[in-house]
Amino acid sequence: MITMNSAYATANLYADWKFWLDKWFYWLLLVGICVNASGLLLPVMEPDGPLYATISKTMVLSGDYINLKVQGKDWLDKPHFPFWITALSFRLFGMNGFAYKFPAFLFWLSGAYFIFAWTKKLYNVQSARLSVLIYVAVEHLIISNNDVRAEPYLTGLIVAAAYYYYRTYKENKWIFIIPASLFLAAAVMTKGVFIAAIVASGFIAEWVCKKKWSEFYNPRWWLAVFLLILFITPELICLYIQFDQHPEKLIYGHTHVSGIRFFFWDSQFGRFLNTGPIKGEGDVLFYTHTLIWSFLPWSVFVILMIVARIKNFSRPADSNSDYICPVIFATGFIMFSLSKFQLPHYLNILYPFLSIMVSQFLMNMDNGVYHKVISYVQNFIYFLFFSFAMVLAVVFGLHYLFLICLLLAALAFMIYRFFPGNQLVNIFGRSFFAVLAVSLFLNFLVFPEIFNYQSGMKAASFLKKNNQTEPVYTFSELIPEFAFEFYSVQPVYLLKQSQLYTLKENIRVFAPKIKIDSLRNEGFVIQDTLTFPHFHISKLNGTFIDSHTRAQAVDSSMLATILPRRI
C-alpha cells in the first residue's frame, strides 16, 4: 500500500526532476552526444577495429560483398551487416578511421532516440529524458564509441526492434511489425540469432505474467517470425555461397563447414555452450563485477534498484508494470554470465534497457536510506573520477602536466558550483558531467599519446606521408597488424619466410624488430630500416602506463628492405 506521505514524497521528487530536466536536458544531451562523438576523431584501435575495417576495405576494393575475406583467406566469425554498412561509409567518406566509426556512432545515437520514444510511452516524458541522459553518459558506451566493434550497431538495433514490437503489442497495429522485424534482422545479421531470443524473452515474460495467453497464437507474431526469416535471407545466401557450396574449404582446420550452421548455432550458442570452434574460459561472476565498472557512474543506482525490486517482489504488480525491459536485461545478463566466452563489451547491448529501468527507479525513489547511500557513493565517485584523471596525467607523464591538473581541478570545482548540495537531481548532474569530463580527458589527451605505440598505423602513416606506394609484405606466420593493412594505401601481401630463400629482388617488409634481427642473423642483408615503438594498446597495464617503466613494456616493429640472402 502506498501511504499519503510516500505519495507526497514521490510527487515532490517528480516535480524536482521535471524542473531540473526542463532546465538542463537539452544542454546535457548536447554535451553528452559531443563527448561520445569525440571518439570519431581518434584512430581505429587494435585488434578488432582494424580487422573489421580491413574486411570492409577489402569489400570495397574487390567489389565482392558476398565473401568475407581476411588477407585473402575465407573468414567465418561475424555476420555481414556491419561490414556492408562500413563499406558504404568508405565509399561515401573514403577509407579512414572516421568513416569506419561514423555509421556505428549513428546506430548508437539512434538508440538514444528509441530509448526516449519507448520510455515516453511506458511512463512519461521526464522519465524518457532521464533515461536518455543515463544512456549517453555510460562509461563503457563512451569507450565503445572510440573502440568500435559490433556493439554500437547492436545497441541501437536491439532497442529499436523492441520498441516497435512493443508498439505492435500495445497499439495493436500490425504495420509496426515490419520495422521491428527489419531492425531485429539487422541485429541478427550483426551478431547472431541469440539477439532474437533475448528480445523475445521480454515479451514472453510480459504475456505470462499478465496472463495474456492469446498473444502466443496471435497471427501477428507468427508473421513477425516469418518476416525475420525473410529479412535475414541475404545473410543466409552469402553464407551458403561462400561456405556451404564449397565443402572443400578448410575452415578452423576442418572441411565440410556449413556457414549456415555456424550462423544459427556455432557463432553464438556454440560459444555460450563452449562447443563451437572458438572456445573460451568463463567465470560466472565476470559480468557482475564488469557491470559495476562499465555502467559507471550509475552502478549504485542499479544495485539499489535491484535491492528495491527484491524487497517488493512479493507485492502484486499492477496492470501497468513493465516486464519487457527487466526480463530482456536479465535474460541477456544470465546468458552472458553462463557462457564460457566473455568480453566486457558484450553487456553494452543491454544498457538501453537498464537505462530505462534506472530512470524510472530514480523518478520514484522516496527512500531516505537510498538517498543517503547515493549521496555518499556518488560524491566518492565524483572525487574518484577527477583524482583518477590527475593521477593518470602524472603517472603517464603527459606534457603540460601542471596546466592539465589545474584545469581538471577547476572543472571539478565549476561542476560542483553548478550542481551543489545533496539534492538527488544535483547529484545526478555532477555524476553526469564527471564521467564526460574524464572521457574527454582520455580522448583528447591520453589516447592520442597511446596511439603512438600502435606501430602498424604509424608505419602506414609514414609510407603515406612520404609517397611510398610500392608493395609491402608481412609474414604470414606472425600475429597480423591489421592497423598496418587498413591504413596502408599500397598493397600489403603475406609472405612466408621460406619464400625469402629464393628471393630475386629487394622487397619492403613490415615486421617485429625481433623478426628482422633474426633474418639478419641468418645472413639476409637488411637495409633502410625504420623503427616504430609497439605495444598492444587495448591491453594496457601498469608497466606501460607508468612513464618511468614504459620502456620495459614496449617492443618495436620495423619497416625494412630485405635483399636476397647471401650465399
Side-chain angles (χ1 to χ4, degrees), residues 225-485:
V225 173
F226 170 77
L227 289 176
L228 175 62
I229 296 172
L230 177 66
F231 291 149
I232 66 171
T233 300
E235 176 66 31
L236 302 181
I237 292 173
C238 290
L239 290 170
Y240 181 80
I241 291 173
Q242 184 172 4
F243 298 103
D244 295 69
Q245 271 192 339
H246 297 280
E248 76 281 0
K249 288 184 175 181
L250 189 66
I251 310 295
Y252 295 118
H254 299 281
T255 56
H256 295 82
V257 173
S258 169
I260 294 176
R261 172 191 159 82
F262 184 87
F263 175 71
F264 279 112
W265 183 258
D266 293 329
S267 175
Q268 295 304 319
F269 293 110
R271 289 188 180 186
F272 294 146
L273 300 175
N274 222 30
T275 60
I278 302 175
K279 300 185 185 297
E281 297 179 4
D283 171 10
V284 72
L285 295 178
F286 175 82
Y287 286 109
T288 302
H289 55 75
T290 296
L291 179 64
I292 292 173
W293 70 260
S294 66
F295 201 67
L296 284 172
W298 319 122
S299 309
V300 68
F301 300 146
V302 177
I303 296 170
L304 293 177
M305 179 188 69
I306 293 172
V307 170
R309 284 178 177 263
I310 292 173
K311 287 174 63 176
N312 297 327
F313 183 78
S314 59
R315 293 185 182 179
D318 63 57
S319 59
N320 294 321
S321 296
D322 169 41
Y323 294 98
I324 300 174
C325 288
V327 174
I328 288 177
F329 172 78
T331 301
F333 188 85
I334 292 170
M335 185 183 293
F336 294 148
S337 295
L338 294 179
S339 74
K340 296 296 183 182
F341 200 90
Q342 299 174 334
L343 293 169
H345 54 266
Y346 283 5
L347 280 186
N348 287 13
I349 68 172
L350 306 178
Y351 290 161
F353 308 99
L354 193 56
S355 297
I356 293 172
M357 295 158 60
V358 169
S359 73
Q360 187 60 11
F361 168 72
L362 291 178
M363 292 291 292
N364 295 281
M365 193 197 72
D366 61 348
N367 188 304
V369 174
Y370 290 174
H371 193 131
K372 281 186 177 181
V373 171
I374 289 172
S375 176
Y376 290 134
V377 173
Q378 294 305 104
N379 284 334
F380 173 73
I381 289 175
Y382 184 78
F383 171 80
L384 187 65
F385 267 128
F386 284 101
S387 299
F388 161 79
M390 292 181 193
V391 171
L392 180 59
V394 173
V395 173
F396 196 82
L398 292 178
H399 301 295
Y400 309 108
L401 182 59
F402 177 77
L403 180 60
I404 291 171
C405 290
L406 185 63
L407 287 174
L408 286 168
L411 192 57
F413 176 76
M414 289 172 58
I415 293 171
Y416 202 94
R417 287 297 300 270
F418 269 108
F419 304 102
N422 287 323
Q423 192 177 5
L424 185 58
V425 292
N426 285 340
I427 292 173
F428 182 92
R430 290 200 299 271
S431 302
F432 181 90
F433 272 111
V435 69
L436 296 185
V438 171
S439 296
L440 272 183
F441 163 76
L442 293 174
N443 283 355
F444 282 127
L445 295 175
V446 178
F447 278 119
E449 293 294 326
I450 290 175
F451 274 108
N452 287 325
Y453 296 88
Q454 188 162 281
S455 61
M457 179 194 73
K458 301 301 288 186
S461 177
F462 171 84
L463 293 173
K464 182 178 181 181
K465 286 179 181 178
N466 289 274
N467 298 315
Q468 299 186 25
T469 57
E470 68 272 20
V472 181
Y473 295 83
T474 60
F475 290 98
S476 59
E477 62 265 28
L478 300 177
I479 297 174
E481 264 275 354
F482 289 111
F484 179 70
E485 185 172 352

Side-chain angles (χ1 to χ4, degrees), residues 50 73 138 227 451 459 494:
K73 299 179 181 178
V138 173
L227 289 176
F451 274 108
L494 287 179

